[in-house]
């Protein structure tokens, strides 16, 4: 490829990625050359500045038509723009969490590394959203995964952190191998790694043996990605990793990593198994014959996540199983792919709502655990008396996670529930499991509120909230309430800027 061809591409479409990459490089250089006595906590504000610049550069790209670079190796379409907004918003809030993080031991000397490793993971997730090619998808996935492994074990002197990092690396390696195995089959039956070309090839596929191999590929890719989103029975790493990782990393895994997992799941499934050009009905039939796996996993994930959470006394383990249950709710939406592009709105809104309510809860948990040195449920005891404002903020997050009306979490669950009924044929069993799982979740979620309002405080120490943490709490609570009472603000924004996501698949 000559130089003129390279210059002909609209590289401005990659401006958010370039900004994140440049910020990560600047942070790494500063961390290496600045004196050891310099407080690395200040680097967080440079990282936040880079994320804000990337966010506004993405806003400026919303009016752009679909941009394809190097045959869809990078693809800026409505799907990419919509999910990058969630990734950048979540990343900015998590960096503020990290700036306010004050562990008893083990992070001071590595705080600078945390910020640029986090940005590298964010860059990997953003690349995944804009990938129209299996190779780029896999590169983005590995950039996210490798950075995550290091972040989980960044407290090198902490045994739980070491154990969780080891488990995460082993399980992550297994999931990567299974995913790559499935991708290799997809390449073998289509002769291409471009999702658009693969979709067109699969639409006209009639050979029974090739369809059988495609079914195996579907299953392998789904199993590999089920590890990434912590869906049962491939969830076993999540509770230990969530418990052992620093709290900002746990928040990152529950929000950014999970969002990225569903991004790659939607990219592959919608591209190859639903919206294939030509004989689209054939592709849909193929998906409906194979999505029994997805339906089964989503049901098991909801049941296991909610039931096992009932027995948890460690807050981060409890939220790990809560995260598993929420992955199950999202998989119900994936199961109802036949509902069309309504799915995209549903998943996007639920991930946005989950980001807000989960990060708000983690911000308060981090604040209390840093003060007490414990992550047990008991640290919530008496919060209503010690700090009524924090108690109310935590209550809003918990009510949203539970799915109480007036919160964004309720609207998110309602959309998925309605989607299960609208789809033909209706997924009534999954809808019933969703209701049962939500009812079970009342027990452990409201158990946290019992600690907050009906248990005496163990300590009376004044709670001081750092500015970064205050910003996170206010944004999360404000967003949770706003989108709970006015969800149309989010859906109108989606429809006005992204339409019905018709540019999801390349028409070239």
């Amino acid at each position: 490829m000559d130089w003129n061809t390279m210059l002909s591409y609209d590289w401005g479409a990659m401006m958010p990625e370039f900004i994140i990459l440049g910020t990560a490089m600047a942070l790494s250089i500063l961390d290496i050359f600045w004196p050891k006595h310099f407080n690395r906590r200040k680097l967080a504000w440079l990282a936040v500045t880079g994320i804000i610049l990337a966010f506004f550069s993405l806003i400026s790209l919303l009016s752009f038509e679909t941009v394809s670079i190097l045959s869809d190796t990078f693809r800026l379409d409505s799907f990419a723009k919509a999910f990058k907004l969630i990734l950048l918003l979540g990343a900015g809030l998590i960096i503020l969490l990290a700036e306010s993080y004050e562990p008893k031991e083990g992070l001071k000397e590595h705080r600078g590394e945390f910020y640029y490793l986090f940005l590298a993971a964010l860059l990997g997730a953003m690349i995944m959203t804009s990938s129209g090619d299996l190779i780029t998808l896999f590169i983005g996935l590995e950039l996210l995964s490798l950075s995550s492994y290091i972040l989980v074990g960044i407290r090198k002197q902490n045994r739980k952190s070491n154990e969780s990092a080891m488990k995460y690396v082993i399980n992550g390696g297994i999931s990567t191998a299974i995913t790559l195995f499935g991708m290799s089959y997809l390449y073998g039956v289509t002769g291409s790694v471009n999702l658009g070309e693969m979709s067109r090839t699969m639409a006209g596929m009639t050979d029974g043996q090739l369809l059988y191999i495609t079914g195996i590929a579907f299953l392998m890719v789904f199993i590999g990605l089920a590890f990434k989103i912590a869906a049962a029975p491939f969830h076993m790493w999540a509770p230990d990793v969530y418990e052992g990782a620093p709290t900002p990393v746990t928040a990152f895994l529950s929000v950014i990593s999970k969002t990225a997992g569903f991004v790659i799941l939607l990219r592959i499934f919608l591209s190859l198994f639903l919206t294939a050009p030509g004989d689209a009905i054939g592709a849909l039939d193929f998906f409906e014959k194979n999505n029994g796996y997805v339906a089964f996993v989503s049901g098991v994930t909801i049941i296991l996540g909610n039931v096992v959470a009932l027995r948890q006394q460690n807050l981060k383990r409890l939220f790990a199983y809560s995260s598993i249950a929420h992955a199950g709710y999202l998989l119900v939406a994936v199961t109802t792919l036949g509902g069309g592009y309504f799915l995209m709105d549903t998943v996007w809104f639920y991930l946005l709502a989950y980001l807000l309510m989960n990060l708000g809860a983690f911000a308060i948990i981090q604040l209390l655990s840093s003060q007490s040195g414990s992550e047990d449920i008991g640290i919530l005891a008496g919060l209503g008396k010690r700090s009524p404002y924090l108690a109310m903020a935590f209550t809003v997050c918990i009510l949203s996670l539970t799915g109480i009306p007036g919160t964004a979490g309720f609207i998110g669950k309602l959309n998925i529930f309605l989607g299960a009924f609208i789809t033909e044929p209706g997924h009534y069993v999954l809808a019933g499991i969703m209701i049962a799982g939500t009812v079970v979740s009342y027990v452990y979620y409201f158990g946290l509120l019992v600690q907050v309002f009906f248990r005496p405080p163990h300590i009376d120490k004044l709670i001081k909230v750092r500015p970064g943490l205050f910003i996170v709490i206010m944004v999360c609570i404000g967003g949770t309430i706003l989108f709970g009472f006015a969800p149309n603000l989010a859906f109108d924004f989606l429809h006005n800027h992204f339409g019905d996501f018709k540019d999801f698949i390349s028409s070239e």
Side-chain angles (χ1 to χ4, degrees):
M1 183 176 295
D2 59 33
W3 185 249
N4 290 330
T5 303
M6 293 293 291
L7 291 177
S8 67
Y9 293 117
D10 187 359
W11 296 102
M14 296 185 69
M15 186 56 64
E17 284 79 8
F18 289 145
I19 292 173
I20 295 298
L21 176 61
T23 305
M25 293 176 64
L27 287 171
S28 63
I29 293 171
L30 289 174
D31 184 47
I32 291 172
F33 290 103
W34 272 358
K36 289 186 177 180
H37 61 78
F38 179 81
N39 186 358
R40 261 60 177 177
R41 188 191 298 273
K42 297 177 182 178
L43 293 176
W45 299 106
L46 178 57
V48 170
T49 301
I51 292 172
I52 291 174
L53 290 175
F55 186 86
F56 281 109
S57 70
L58 178 62
I59 294 294
S60 70
L61 295 173
L62 293 184
S63 59
F64 276 42
E65 297 293 331
T66 302
V67 177
S68 175
I69 297 175
L70 296 173
S71 301
D72 280 350
T73 299
F74 180 91
R75 180 178 176 81
L76 185 69
D77 53 18
S78 54
F79 177 91
K81 298 172 192 173
F83 284 93
K84 281 181 192 177
L85 289 172
I86 294 180
L87 292 173
L88 288 171
L89 174 62
L93 296 176
I94 292 171
I95 286 289
L96 292 176
L97 272 183
E99 189 275 338
S100 305
Y101 185 53
E102 296 177 339
K104 298 296 182 183
E105 46 75 35
L107 191 61
K108 286 185 178 180
E109 65 272 25
H110 305 300
R111 189 178 289 274
E113 297 172 16
F114 175 91
Y115 299 127
Y116 54 81
L117 284 170
F118 176 83
L119 290 180
L122 172 62
L123 180 62
M126 292 174 68
I127 289 173
M128 288 164 61
T129 64
S130 283
S131 297
D133 185 283
L134 283 183
I135 294 176
T136 323
L137 272 174
F138 185 74
I139 290 173
L141 179 64
E142 285 307 286
L143 180 57
L144 169 66
S145 299
L146 293 174
S147 301
S148 300
Y149 301 152
I150 303 171
L151 288 171
V152 169
I154 201 167
R155 295 185 297 173
K156 295 194 290 185
Q157 306 304 318
N158 185 289
R159 283 191 173 185
K160 282 189 176 180
S161 185
N162 294 339
E163 179 186 352
S164 62
M166 178 61 71
K167 289 180 178 178
Y168 196 25
V169 168
I170 293 172
N171 283 280
I174 293 171
S175 70
T176 296
I178 296 174
T179 304
L180 198 58
F181 181 71
M183 287 181 175
S184 69
Y185 270 26
L186 289 174
Y187 171 72
V189 298
T190 61
S192 174
V193 292
N194 181 277
L195 294 178
E197 294 178 7
M198 295 169 73
S199 176
R200 287 188 285 275
T201 301
M202 289 174 61
M205 195 179 295
T206 56
D207 188 283
Q209 292 181 336
L210 291 180
L211 289 173
Y212 179 77
I213 294 174
T214 305
I216 295 176
F218 177 96
L219 182 61
M220 291 295 102
V221 170
F222 177 68
I223 290 174
L225 296 178
F227 276 96
K228 299 295 183 184
I229 61 175
F234 314 105
H235 67 285
M236 67 289 291
W237 59 271
D240 292 331
V241 172
Y242 276 46
E243 182 182 6
T247 305
V249 178
T250 303
F252 159 76
L253 293 174
S254 70
V255 174
I256 302 297
S257 185
K258 189 176 293 292
T259 299
F262 276 98
V263 162
I264 189 172
L265 199 66
L266 292 174
R267 269 288 184 195
I268 292 177
F269 280 16
L270 289 179
S271 297
L272 303 184
F273 302 118
L274 180 65
T275 55
D279 186 13
I281 296 177
L284 181 56
D285 288 343
F286 175 86
F287 180 80
E288 290 179 345
K289 290 176 183 177
N290 289 275
N291 78 340
Y293 307 125
V294 186
F296 175 78
V297 169
S298 62
V300 171
T301 302
I302 293 171
I303 295 170
L304 187 143
N306 284 308
V307 171
V308 180
L310 295 172
R311 302 289 297 172
Q312 303 306 311
Q313 294 300 310
N314 181 284
L315 278 170
K316 285 162 74 172
R317 290 185 73 87
L318 186 149
F319 272 83
Y321 283 105
S322 166
S323 176
I324 291 167
H326 284 278
Y329 300 142
L330 282 162
L331 281 175
V332 173
V334 177
T335 306
T336 60
L337 282 174
Y341 285 100
F342 175 72
L343 160 84
M344 207 79 79
D345 297 356
T346 302
V347 173
W348 186 88
F349 185 88
Y350 197 92
L351 287 171
L352 175 63
Y354 184 70
L355 180 153
L356 294 170
M357 56 195 181
N358 218 40
L359 288 187
F362 270 116
I364 296 169
I365 291 171
Q366 175 181 296
L367 182 63
L368 297 176
S369 63
S370 295
Q371 183 186 78
S372 64
S374 170
E375 294 171 349
D376 190 80
I377 288 177
I379 66 175
L380 295 170
L383 181 62
K385 294 180 180 179
R386 296 175 61 197
S387 178
Y389 295 111
L390 284 178
M392 291 306 299
F394 188 74
T395 300
V396 170
C397 294
I398 294 301
L399 293 179
S400 186
L401 285 164
T402 307
I404 297 298
T407 63
F410 169 75
I411 301 299
K413 283 186 179 179
L414 180 64
N415 287 334
I416 294 176
F417 182 78
L418 292 176
F421 276 99
I422 292 172
T423 305
E424 293 293 339
H427 295 271
Y428 306 117
V429 174
L430 280 181
I433 292 175
M434 272 193 72
I435 295 174
T438 299
V439 171
V440 171
S441 72
Y442 291 167
V443 179
Y444 60 86
Y445 281 135
F446 289 149
L448 300 180
L449 297 184
V450 168
Q451 293 286 333
V452 171
F453 293 106
F454 301 106
R455 294 291 182 268
H458 298 310
I459 55 176
D460 294 323
K461 187 178 179 181
L462 182 66
I463 302 176
K464 295 182 179 179
V465 182
R466 291 181 62 87
L469 209 61
F470 178 78
I471 294 171
V472 174
I473 293 172
M474 292 304 295
V475 169
C476 291
I477 301 307
T480 298
I481 295 174
L482 176 65
F483 294 128
F485 284 98
N488 284 342
L489 292 176
F491 289 115
D492 289 345
F493 174 80
L494 272 182
H495 297 152
N496 291 337
H497 291 89
F498 310 122
D500 56 4
F501 294 91
K502 282 184 177 179
D503 61 345
F504 185 78
I505 302 297
S506 173
S507 58
E508 296 173 2

